[in-house]
Amino acid sequence: MSRRVLSLIADILWFCILSELVFAQLPEPPKLNYDLIPDFFQLPPGEHLVEPAGVAVNSKGHVYVFHRGKHPLMEFDSSGKFLRSIADDLFVTAHMVRVDPEDNIWTADIGSHVVLKLSAEGRVLLALGRMRSPETTWGISTSLPMSHGIATVMCT
């Protein structure tokens, strides 16, 4: 074998040995206090969660799942029982959901380019952006879809 090939093999062996030493010294990751509950969500017959984009919990323990299926915003009680779907015709492509301290539901939809603030009852309290119009945010021309960044700022 040529000297160059032997040098390459030696470099690869050193890399493998050093990598193993580095990874062997990493601390154990912390244990998360979560338990997996298979089939937690009790969906209505014929319903499926399609590409869930976000999950949020309100002060009563109700769970909101925002997904890209037929009923995009679904509410479940703390045991996983389906309660209702909310504002089905307002969403195009789910992106994010959050619940604020007053139990208002905030959604960001990248298909409609709108951020919505909904009451706990599901009434629209505030709409930011224009339906299906990514070019305009509050009358200001922009090339970025409004719902991407503002939802993170407003909901975190």
Side-chain angles (χ1 to χ4, degrees):
M1 277 197 249
S2 76
R3 187 177 184 114
R4 189 173 188 169
V5 171
L6 288 174
S7 175
L8 180 63
I9 292 172
D11 288 345
I12 291 171
L13 284 173
W14 274 116
F15 176 77
C16 292
I17 291 169
L18 292 174
S19 315
E20 185 62 33
L21 290 173
V22 168
F23 286 115
Q25 294 176 15
L26 290 177
E28 269 305 301
K31 180 171 176 0
L32 300 176
N33 294 321
Y34 298 104
D35 294 321
L36 175 64
I37 303 174
D39 302 317
F40 174 77
F41 294 112
Q42 300 157 30
L43 295 166
E47 277 298 318
H48 304 283
L49 294 177
V50 179
E51 297 180 26
V55 177
V57 180
N58 72 8
S59 65
K60 298 176 189 165
H62 289 197
V63 179
Y64 297 94
V65 178
F66 198 35
H67 70 109
R68 297 178 177 178
K70 184 169 54 173
H71 302 288
L73 184 57
M74 300 176 116
E75 181 179 1
F76 299 85
D77 69 12
S78 59
S79 66
K81 179 183 172 196
F82 175 78
L83 298 176
R84 65 185 173 141
S85 64
I86 302 169
D88 292 340
D89 55 342
L90 292 180
F91 304 110
V92 178
T93 308
H95 182 65
M96 176 188 286
V97 64
R98 296 287 186 266
V99 176
D100 68 22
E102 289 82 38
D103 279 345
N104 296 307
I105 307 159
W106 290 82
T107 62
D109 186 314
I110 60 172
S112 67
H113 305 285
V114 173
V115 172
L116 293 177
K117 177 184 180 182
L118 305 168
S119 69
E121 295 76 34
R123 287 188 339 269
V124 176
L125 301 175
L126 177 67
L128 301 173
R130 290 183 185 214
M131 185 62 96
R132 298 183 188 263
S133 181
E135 301 84 24
T136 305
T137 302
W138 300 299
I140 301 168
S141 180
T142 176
S143 61
L144 293 175
M146 188 278 276
S147 60
H148 283 273
I150 197 163
T152 303
V153 171
M154 296 188 71
C155 299
T156 55

